[in-house]
Amino acid sequence: KNEVEQSPQNLTAQEGEFITINCSYSVGISALHWLQQHPGGGIVSLFMLSSGKKKHGRLIATINIQEKHSSLHITASHPRDSAVYICAVRVWTNAGKSTFGDGTTLTVKP
Amino acid sequence: DVKVTQSSRYLVKRTGEKVFLECVQDMDHENMFWYRQDPGLGLRLIYFSYDVKMKEKGDIPEGYSVSREKKERFSLILESASTNQTSMYLCASSKPGQGVITGELFFGEGSRLTVL
């Protein structure tokens, strides 16, 4: 079992819908990253968080340390949000390394 | 604007060739990482470096070596390329952690290597 599990694996939505992508992890962490990768493109860091909630534009990331769970929400989704969203955790025991989820492929249809 | 630059977006090499992948960052970051990304396997850490001339093996170091002679540059070397090293290679950098806050990761655009 992967230390970082994302759900769903694939997600198709209509433009304007509210989207939630979930990430669960099984280890103690010092931080969690949400990353975005467009087809054929590099990876962009969306959020890094260790507690609570962060918001940037239409994106919101939350984390519950006790439940070892994080969610990425996209409000008023748009076709340009279509990408792979990756959750990564930085474990306490090795601050230099991150463990990555397999990613959630999001497709937003116009 | 912060930047991690990888030297080649696309490379095609033959089995047995020596391959160099270069990564340069302009953010004065101490930590640098090399990952490979394969369908169904996600991102896997090959090597990372937390200082000049320092390196640590990641999860899949076999068949690879690295070099960090200057803080801004981290090179990945395939001594003798094999077909199973066909993959997307991603470089990243970050500042080291400060207490419970660890550094945000910045990624390059990726280098897609095909070994024939």
Side-chain angles (χ1 to χ4, degrees):
Chain A
K1 186 170 160 54
N2 200 352
E3 288 179 329
V4 181
E5 297 276 349
Q6 284 187 237
S7 64
Q9 191 174 359
N10 295 284
L11 181 56
T12 301
Q14 288 296 131
E15 184 173 355
E17 284 185 8
F18 181 85
I19 287 160
T20 296
I21 299 170
N22 295 299
C23 176
S24 296
Y25 52 91
S26 57
V27 294
I29 69 167
S30 56
L32 182 144
H33 302 262
W34 280 105
L35 309 167
Q36 179 193 56
Q37 185 175 32
H38 284 284
I43 294 175
V44 175
S45 178
L46 298 175
F47 295 103
M48 184 188 70
L49 65 166
S50 55
S51 65
K53 176 178 174 178
K54 285 191 176 182
K55 185 175 189 292
H56 182 71
R58 295 180 294 106
L59 302 177
I60 303 165
T62 63
I63 187 168
N64 185 318
I65 296 295
Q66 287 73 31
E67 294 185 5
K68 292 187 167 64
H69 181 269
S70 176
S71 293
L72 176 69
H73 306 285
I74 305 174
T75 61
S77 60
H78 190 277
R80 65 174 174 268
D81 296 327
S82 298
V84 177
Y85 292 85
I86 302 168
C87 170
V89 301
R90 190 75 61 88
V91 299
W92 279 111
T93 54
N94 193 331
K97 293 169 62 173
S98 295
T99 300
F100 294 82
D102 290 337
T104 294
T105 301
L106 171 66
T107 304
V108 181
K109 295 185 175 180
Chain B
D1 209 14
V2 296
K3 213 161 171 80
V4 178
T5 304
Q6 293 184 228
S7 54
S8 306
R9 287 297 306 274
Y10 300 95
L11 300 97
V12 179
K13 298 291 181 181
R14 296 214 171 269
T15 301
E17 280 192 75
K18 190 168 186 175
V19 182
F20 291 89
L21 298 177
E22 301 282 334
C23 176
V24 177
Q25 50 94 4
D26 63 2
M27 296 164 281
D28 201 36
H29 284 171
E30 285 80 2
N31 295 342
M32 295 189 76
F33 308 85
W34 274 107
Y35 298 93
R36 65 177 282 177
Q37 186 179 34
D38 301 286
L41 297 175
L43 278 152
R44 294 180 291 167
L45 181 65
I46 305 171
Y47 268 97
F48 70 102
S49 167
Y50 51 88
D51 202 351
V52 176
K53 296 193 186 295
M54 306 299 287
K55 60 185 179 185
E56 292 270 349
K57 290 181 180 179
D59 300 314
I60 50 164
E62 296 78 20
Y64 303 94
S65 62
V66 290
S67 171
R68 184 123 182 246
E69 296 296 319
K70 293 184 178 181
K71 190 176 185 181
E72 67 271 17
R73 188 181 296 270
F74 192 35
S75 303
L76 180 70
I77 303 152
L78 288 67
E79 292 288 343
S80 178
S82 63
T83 54
N84 63 12
Q85 291 178 309
T86 293
S87 186
M88 168 71 90
Y89 290 88
L90 287 148
C91 174
S93 72
S94 73
K95 289 201 80 62
Q98 297 169 7
V100 299
I101 304 299
T102 55
E104 184 176 359
L105 280 170
F106 293 87
F107 282 86
E109 288 290 308
S111 299
R112 186 165 292 282
L113 171 67
T114 301
V115 183
L116 302 174

